[in-house]
Amino acid sequence: MPRQTRKLEIPAPIDPDTPLEKLTAAQLKLVWEATFPCPPLQPFYRSLAIRLIAFHRQELVDGGLSPELRQQLAEYAPGGVKDAARRAQPRVKPGTRLLRTWRGRLYAVTAGDGEFIYENRRYRSLSVIAREITGTPWSGPAFFGLKTAATPILEVDAS
């Protein structure tokens, strides 16, 4: 189903074919007020206003984002349903081995599909494994070097 587009109405004294870059700040503010339902930003940054108005014009011509893409973006936005899960899971491919030396002993964890395998047991969280190894609450991603707190050795299983 084609999306409806509406024509951008520009105040009469401004020629709609004039490039935004050639408009004065006062003219840009008039175009802003005709384009958006809110007053111009304060302080008024000319270059930002030009980019936002140009983006809006492009959105009117091309129809903007599809409802499906808007929904997907909303899910990953801060506070969205997939945001917490996305931030909580380290991004390692299945088959990746995480190696960490702790107090003279080498520990190896293999990443599976949504889980981690340590000493032939399956875990959903690296933090549980880090806690088991150290005996103290650790961030699993930090302990295994997926954040900057530790330096691991990453080994990808080629098989």
Side-chain angles (χ1 to χ4, degrees):
M1 178 164 115
R3 289 186 226 133
Q4 293 180 338
T5 58
R6 62 183 173 103
K7 179 114 172 105
L8 178 65
E9 295 183 25
I10 296 178
I14 302 170
D15 180 9
D17 294 329
T18 303
L20 294 173
E21 294 80 9
K22 297 203 183 241
L23 298 178
T24 65
Q27 290 173 318
L28 273 174
K29 288 179 182 179
L30 289 173
V31 173
W32 179 283
E33 290 168 356
T35 304
F36 300 109
C38 59
L41 304 169
Q42 295 299 326
F44 185 76
Y45 293 104
R46 190 173 184 285
S47 62
L48 178 61
I50 289 170
R51 287 193 304 258
L52 291 172
I53 293 168
F55 177 80
H56 183 70
R57 286 181 175 180
Q58 181 180 350
E59 191 177 37
L60 290 175
V61 170
D62 295 337
L65 302 175
S66 69
E68 296 82 16
L69 184 56
R70 283 183 185 272
Q71 176 63 34
Q72 287 175 349
L73 291 173
E75 289 173 359
Y76 285 100
V81 293
K82 293 186 179 177
D83 178 50
R86 177 184 56 81
R87 286 186 290 125
Q89 283 295 348
R91 296 180 187 190
V92 291
K93 294 182 180 180
T96 301
R97 290 188 57 199
L98 303 171
L99 304 175
R100 171 69 197 266
T101 302
W102 177 257
R103 297 195 173 166
R105 181 174 168 209
L106 181 66
Y107 295 91
V109 174
T110 304
D113 190 20
E115 64 185 5
F116 300 95
I117 302 165
Y118 169 64
E119 293 186 343
N120 295 320
R121 290 190 310 222
R122 297 179 186 282
Y123 296 84
R124 299 210 26 96
S125 166
L126 281 175
S127 296
V128 173
I129 298 170
R131 189 173 301 118
E132 188 173 311
I133 292 170
T134 64
T136 60
W138 262 80
S139 161
F143 181 78
F144 285 101
L146 300 175
K147 293 184 180 179
T148 58
T151 307
I153 301 168
L154 292 177
E155 179 183 298
V156 177
D157 187 7
S159 56

